[in-house]
Amino acid sequence: MKVGVIGLGLIGGSIFKDLKRLGIEVSAVSQSQCGENIYKDYTVLKDCGIIFVCSAMNKTLAILDELEKFVKSETIVTDVCSLKGFVSKKERPYRFIPSHPMAGTENKGYESSMEGLFKGAKWVLTPKTKFSESTGYLLPEGTKELIDLIEKLGAIPVITTPEEHDRAAAMISHMPMVLAQALFLSVKDNPLALDMAASGFRDMTRLALSNEEMACDMVTMNSENIQNALLHLYKAVGDLTAGDYPKTITSIKAERSKMFTARN
């Protein structure tokens, strides 16, 4: 099956490189990159079985609309946006399955993309399910094929709804980015604090280096969920400091220490 990739930034470039490594026929469309199997015109993707749309969130809907002009009805199309609600509203004439790979770095661009980026990473899918009295909830056609390809990239599929995804993404991705930015903003005018800053401050503010276009899209398009996540965090800080602090942080340390070890 031929695979297409639109956009060769960090995520799209990493998908493109991994597919080539796996020996899968792949064509990419990029306005900024040139090279073997990289084109400027979307129509080179008309015979693809699966297409990854890896553009900025503010450009994704226009690209999905453009694909309607020539993509076959049986073609599987997915996006990689960090929000799923806004891309899920419109019915598409092809098999559209929204998704979001939970991988990446604070860097951007094709030069930062790499093979193996998705190994061990969660890859969230939010397909539109159908309910039948006899069989229960059914995933749309093409979901299995997309999951199979995602697993070949080394990722671990997770299926949920667009609404649940966007709430969770605010808590573990979008709100932490805003906090990292705010933390740096609160310290930047204190020369001594900046001079003393070491690994703790570096790690806490890493997300302040996030792609600016992506950050603006996140904050603009997921503002309500981010605000709710901040309120939840504010309450957690109060509960933490007003309660049995030693007992609570011991429990937090134990749970946090197992979290990513269990995934690997």
Side-chain angles (χ1 to χ4, degrees):
M1 178 189 296
K2 182 179 177 181
V3 178
V5 179
I6 298 176
L8 290 179
L10 175 65
I11 298 298
S14 297
I15 293 172
F16 182 66
K17 291 175 182 179
D18 264 341
L19 292 173
K20 290 175 67 177
R21 174 181 58 83
L22 292 167
I24 295 172
E25 184 181 2
V26 57
S27 293
V29 174
S30 172
Q31 305 308 314
S32 61
Q33 301 298 318
C34 299
E36 185 180 5
N37 297 329
I38 301 175
Y39 306 91
K40 303 297 181 187
D41 189 344
Y42 293 149
T43 58
V44 301
L45 307 177
K46 63 183 179 182
D47 295 322
C48 289
I50 297 178
I51 298 174
F52 291 89
V53 179
C54 306
S55 58
M57 282 197 285
N58 60 68
K59 298 179 176 69
T60 296
L61 292 181
I63 293 173
L64 293 174
D65 288 344
E66 185 67 22
L67 292 179
E68 292 187 4
K69 299 176 182 178
F70 58 86
V71 166
K72 299 174 182 177
S73 60
E74 65 268 24
T75 301
I76 301 163
V77 177
T78 189
D79 72 303
V80 299
C81 292
S82 66
L83 285 170
K84 300 275 62 89
F86 83 103
V87 295
S88 304
K89 294 177 180 178
K90 182 179 179 181
E91 291 287 340
R92 300 287 177 181
Y94 42 75
R95 296 174 180 172
F96 180 55
I97 304 171
S99 77
H100 177 202
M102 303 302 297
T105 70
E106 68 275 16
N107 301 312
K108 63 181 180 180
Y110 187 71
E111 63 278 4
S112 300
S113 64
M114 66 191 80
E115 295 180 8
L117 179 66
F118 309 105
K119 186 175 181 181
K122 300 298 178 69
W123 194 310
V124 185
L125 297 94
T126 62
K128 183 172 288 188
T129 57
K130 296 180 180 179
F131 181 77
S132 166
E133 292 290 346
S134 58
T135 57
Y137 286 100
L138 297 173
L139 295 174
E141 290 186 71
T143 306
K144 182 182 183 302
E145 290 86 344
L146 180 57
I147 286 175
D148 287 345
L149 185 55
I150 286 170
E151 289 178 334
K152 288 180 180 178
L153 295 174
I156 303 165
V158 176
I159 295 178
T160 186
T161 66
E163 296 77 19
E164 288 298 323
H165 168 277
D166 290 356
R167 281 191 286 269
M171 296 180 75
I172 54 91
S173 177
H174 304 171
M175 181 265 285
M177 179 194 68
V178 172
L179 281 180
Q181 294 161 339
L183 176 58
F184 187 86
L185 190 64
S186 72
V187 174
K188 74 178 184 69
D189 293 327
N190 187 315
L192 178 60
L194 292 176
D195 194 42
M196 291 170 57
S199 59
F201 187 75
R202 178 198 64 203
D203 294 344
M204 284 289 292
T205 56
R206 181 180 66 84
L207 290 177
L209 300 172
S210 296
N211 179 316
E212 298 93 333
E213 184 177 21
M214 179 188 70
C216 290
D217 285 346
M218 286 178 179
V219 171
T220 301
M221 301 169 73
N222 205 25
S223 58
E224 183 177 351
N225 285 324
I226 293 173
Q227 291 295 330
N228 289 335
L230 286 167
L231 290 172
H232 190 70
L233 175 68
Y234 183 75
K235 180 180 182 302
V237 171
D239 292 343
L240 175 66
T241 55
D244 187 340
Y245 184 71
K247 180 180 178 181
T248 303
I249 63 171
T250 298
S251 174
I252 290 171
K253 183 176 179 179
E255 292 183 40
R256 171 61 180 82
S257 66
K258 295 184 293 186
M259 185 176 177
F260 296 100
T261 301
R263 293 181 181 181
N264 296 330

